[in-house]
Amino acid sequence: MILFDDDCYMYVLQDRASAEAWWEMPDEYACGFDALARPLRMTGEPHQVTLELSGDEPAEADLRRLVAGHYQRFLQGETPPQGSALSDFIAGLPVEGA
């Protein structure tokens, strides 16, 4: 799961269950994607959020743009993953707690 908060900071979490357990405030969520770049929505209350698909079509261009923005804003001097295949691109993202 690749999630972005309201400051466009990126969080990469292992799976939906860990993302739902880790994320605290649903109002700080801006957008997110699964490993197939399908968009996610977050619902729920503080400390009890749920992630679900908000569409079946991948939004790979949006995901890549947001990741590039995160690197430019928060990880200056580091290069975002360059994989042309989506799976390689996502595999190159830094996972929280790994």
Side-chain angles (χ1 to χ4, degrees):
M1 300 284 154
I2 303 103
L3 308 179
F4 294 87
D5 68 14
D6 52 359
D7 290 324
C8 294
Y9 192 89
M10 176 181 72
Y11 303 87
V12 182
L13 298 146
Q14 201 70 326
D15 55 30
R16 189 177 81 174
S18 61
E20 290 174 347
W22 188 81
W23 201 273
E24 295 178 356
M25 303 301 290
D27 61 339
E28 294 176 351
Y29 174 83
C31 64
F33 304 86
D34 69 2
L36 300 175
R38 296 177 298 184
L40 301 169
R41 75 174 143 253
M42 182 181 286
T43 59
E45 300 295 321
H47 305 283
Q48 295 179 332
V49 300
T50 301
L51 287 166
E52 55 192 40
L53 289 175
S54 63
D56 291 329
E57 293 299 315
E60 184 175 348
D62 292 338
L63 172 59
R64 288 180 182 264
R65 178 183 51 77
L66 287 163
V67 168
H70 169 80
Y71 272 78
Q72 183 177 25
R73 186 171 180 189
F74 299 105
L75 300 175
Q76 294 176 1
E78 293 189 40
T79 304
Q82 299 298 312
S84 58
L86 178 61
S87 59
D88 294 335
F89 176 76
I90 289 177
L93 296 173
V95 176
E96 294 293 323

